[in-house]
Amino acid sequence: MAAPRSITRILKSLPNPCSHHHHRRRRASLLPAVVLDKRYSSNQQSRQPPHPHPPSKRPPPPPPPPPPHLLLAAADARPKLSEHHKITFDEKKTLVPWEEGKTSHFQHVWMRDHCQCSECFHPETKQRVLDTFSIPKNIQPDMVEAEEKGMKIKWKNDGHESLYPWEWLHLHSYNPRLERYISPQFKFWGSEIAEGPPEVGYDAVMESDSGVGEWTRKIHKYGFCYVNGVPATPGATKEVVERIAHIKHTHYGGLWDFTSDLSRKDTAYTTLALGVHTDTTYFSDPAGLQLFHLLSHTDGSGGQSILVDGFRAAKILREENPAAYRVLSNVRIPSHSSGNHDSSIQPYAPFPVFNHHPVNGELIFVRWNNDDRATMDRWDDPADVERFYEATRAWNDVLKRRESEYWEQLVPGRPLILDNWRVLHGRAAFDGKRRLCGAYISRDDFMSRFVLSNSKREDVLKAL
Ligand SMILES: [Fe+2]
Ligand SMILES: [Zn+2]
């Protein structure tokens, strides 16, 4: 391998908002840019390896405490190159020394593949245009230069010039990663949330994107939020929910609007009490958000809603009964929706109750509806049957503790929206006639709106 050679003069005038080396620049906005954690590999083995249903005889150890959450702070907007070390390259990679004392290693094939110019990366569609497979195997720079805007590389094979903005390089440095994690944005809650549940105003949500930003931020943080002052009609409800995203159509339709008449063959359409559950456990991709709006309740009473913070409950179970947590993280539960004659919906594979990020092991979503559980008839070890029932009993006990339960009566004009990947819902039995409408939004559509209503689009794009 050729000895590294120095190739640049580092410009002293690189953008640097502060002359003090130790002072780290704060982003101008109050909030850090919302950037999703898109890690796709890890030095460690996946902490939640794929697991068949039922569990193997030697279940893996319980997942570690959750690492920092899926939101990352973007790297410094104006990263600063070292003034004392120079950019160098050898036949495999370019080394970029930062003032903070770390040096990024960028392999040439990766750099060429990520050229940011408009010939290689479409400026409007934000898609790659470059034919990755036309890059010569032994691609080499002819010249690397630090410029004010970024690092310029002139490539040896065809003279193509690439310019990588400093901020982009710092943000996407992979060896090492330089991002800083921000602390979890979740606020766990129990019954005490009744004293001050998260809410936003109808006008704010309808009139401005910043109103939607506040709304999606609260939904993300607490797992639910009310909107106050919405006209108690299906039309107004549809308009308000569509401020987040288009409605996810299912076998129940788009915006559902029902009375307790069992028109759909599901317990939800009766007057019976419903234990806490998440919806659509029988989908491969369960609904991300669910909105409920009580339009009227006449000639009767009851029907209070109950919410339980599933992430908080999972944390409690893991601390009190790691064995139960492990079982519910590993046993895959088949589920279905087959009450209507024209559908029998099942996910492509059964899923456990606790679903974790495949790389970082963090709890991503809770999938729990005991009523929709299909027959579990595939066990390697009959002892797993008892372990499973013990685990679900322990889980059910945590969910049903008084301090887990947040009860509230829905009222017309105040729809409730909840994060169906986190918060479980149910209701008390009622009598009389209730008319309720609501809708689902997919998780991906919600996260897109959440990210874009709380960050500048350019910051989101930079992190792609
Ligand atoms: Fe439900
Ligand atoms: Zn290019």
Side-chain angles (χ1 to χ4, degrees), residues 293-341:
H293 192 182
L294 182 73
L295 300 179
S296 62
H297 188 176
T298 49
D299 306 325
S301 59
Q304 292 85 356
S305 292
I306 173 176
L307 301 182
V308 173
D309 185 345
F311 283 5
R312 175 179 172 277
K315 182 169 180 278
I316 290 170
L317 182 69
R318 187 173 54 209
E319 287 164 2
E320 293 182 357
N321 191 337
Y325 189 88
R326 190 163 56 229
V327 168
L328 297 182
S329 300
N330 289 323
V331 176
R332 291 171 172 270
I333 300 178
S335 55
H336 73 103
S337 173
S338 314
N340 289 327
H341 288 279

Side-chain angles (χ1 to χ4, degrees), residues 282-426:
Y282 41 75
F283 284 171
S284 299
D285 174 31
L289 299 183
Q290 158 140 248
L291 178 132
F292 291 108
H293 192 182
L294 182 73
L295 300 179
S296 62
H297 188 176
T298 49
D299 306 325
S301 59
Q304 292 85 356
S305 292
I306 173 176
L307 301 182
V308 173
D309 185 345
F311 283 5
R312 175 179 172 277
K315 182 169 180 278
I316 290 170
L317 182 69
R318 187 173 54 209
E319 287 164 2
E320 293 182 357
N321 191 337
Y325 189 88
R326 190 163 56 229
V327 168
L328 297 182
S329 300
N330 289 323
V331 176
R332 291 171 172 270
I333 300 178
S335 55
H336 73 103
S337 173
S338 314
N340 289 327
H341 288 279
D342 54 358
S343 55
S344 176
I345 296 173
Q346 302 169 36
Y348 71 85
F351 287 86
V353 178
F354 303 130
N355 294 271
H356 300 86
H357 191 290
V359 174
N360 65 23
E362 179 182 334
L363 181 62
I364 301 171
F365 69 97
V366 173
R367 198 190 269 255
W368 176 247
N369 186 333
N370 196 49
D371 299 355
D372 291 339
R373 192 152 47 76
T375 309
M376 297 175 70
D377 53 6
R378 299 177 194 195
W379 304 90
D380 281 346
D381 180 352
D384 289 337
V385 174
E386 272 127 22
R387 286 186 198 118
F388 174 73
Y389 282 99
E390 276 168 36
T392 53
R393 195 182 302 276
W395 172 232
N396 186 60
D397 286 348
V398 174
L399 293 176
K400 290 206 169 133
R401 281 177 198 169
R402 198 177 176 143
E403 64 268 24
S404 298
E405 297 185 336
Y406 160 47
W407 287 95
E408 181 110 18
Q409 181 74 60
L410 296 183
V411 292
R414 194 176 189 234
L416 163 68
I417 198 158
L418 57 88
D419 177 348
N420 187 55
W421 281 32
R422 166 177 170 191
V423 170
L424 300 92
H425 65 280

Side-chain angles (χ1 to χ4, degrees), residues 112 114-121 130 155 160-164:
R112 183 65 190 87
H114 287 90
C115 180
Q116 301 290 293
C117 86
S118 58
E119 274 172 48
C120 298
F121 187 75
L130 170 75
W155 298 99
H160 188 79
E161 284 187 11
S162 304
L163 182 73
Y164 306 91

Side-chain angles (χ1 to χ4, degrees), residues 213-230:
E214 183 194 356
W215 188 21
T216 56
R217 202 157 63 239
K218 286 182 175 169
I219 296 167
H220 187 265
K221 181 171 180 179
Y222 296 94
F224 74 98
C225 187
Y226 295 98
V227 185
N228 291 325
V230 181

Side-chain angles (χ1 to χ4, degrees), residues 55-307:
S56 72
K57 280 146 192 123
R58 302 276 310 159
H69 177 48
L70 75 164
L71 301 180
L72 305 175
D76 269 346
R78 314 291 290 271
K80 191 169 178 292
L81 269 183
S82 168
E83 291 185 2
H84 312 290
H85 300 90
K86 295 180 186 310
I87 293 178
T88 56
F89 70 88
D90 61 24
E91 52 185 36
K92 287 280 186 203
K93 60 191 181 295
T94 299
L95 305 186
V96 180
W98 302 102
E99 185 61 31
E100 68 202 66
K102 301 216 168 115
T103 297
S104 298
H105 297 223
F106 295 105
Q107 285 140 287
H108 300 321
V109 64
W110 187 95
M111 287 302 277
R112 183 65 190 87
D113 186 44
H114 287 90
C115 180
Q116 301 290 293
C117 86
S118 58
E119 274 172 48
C120 298
F121 187 75
H122 199 290
E124 296 294 325
T125 71
K126 312 297 177 191
Q127 289 171 298
R128 180 174 289 106
V129 178
L130 170 75
D131 173 11
T132 298
F133 313 101
S134 69
I135 302 172
K137 272 190 183 166
N138 61 346
I139 179 94
Q140 300 270 329
D142 201 18
M143 179 193 79
V144 181
E145 264 179 0
E147 297 200 337
E148 176 149 349
K149 285 194 169 145
M151 183 170 78
K152 187 165 100 179
I153 297 187
K154 190 170 177 191
W155 298 99
K156 201 175 255 176
N157 62 312
D158 59 0
H160 188 79
E161 284 187 11
S162 304
L163 182 73
Y164 306 91
W166 297 115
E167 187 186 355
W168 186 92
L169 278 172
H170 194 266
L171 189 60
H172 293 285
S173 169
Y174 58 87
N175 181 18
R177 285 290 306 165
L178 300 174
E179 87 244 331
R180 290 167 298 143
Y181 289 94
I182 54 176
S183 54
Q185 298 292 291
F186 292 148
K187 173 87 175 84
F188 290 176
W189 47 266
S191 52
E192 79 292 343
I193 193 80
E195 289 153 30
E199 52 190 21
V200 292
Y202 174 62
D203 292 341
V205 163
M206 295 308 291
E207 282 163 16
S208 70
D209 279 354
S210 67
V212 174
E214 183 194 356
W215 188 21
T216 56
R217 202 157 63 239
K218 286 182 175 169
I219 296 167
H220 187 265
K221 181 171 180 179
Y222 296 94
F224 74 98
C225 187
Y226 295 98
V227 185
N228 291 325
V230 181
T233 65
T237 308
K238 182 166 184 281
E239 276 177 20
V240 77
V241 73
E242 284 175 345
R243 289 290 290 151
I244 295 182
H246 61 91
I247 290 172
K248 177 183 170 100
H249 281 243
T250 69
H251 57 313
Y252 297 120
L255 181 92
W256 38 257
D257 173 4
F258 68 72
T259 47
S260 41
D261 62 356
L262 207 62
S263 64
R264 307 279 176 178
K265 301 295 185 290
D266 191 284
T267 325
Y269 293 81
T270 67
T271 62
L272 302 173
L274 289 174
V276 292
H277 61 278
T278 61
D279 267 22
T280 64
T281 54
Y282 41 75
F283 284 171
S284 299
D285 174 31
L289 299 183
Q290 158 140 248
L291 178 132
F292 291 108
H293 192 182
L294 182 73
L295 300 179
S296 62
H297 188 176
T298 49
D299 306 325
S301 59
Q304 292 85 356
S305 292
I306 173 176
L307 301 182

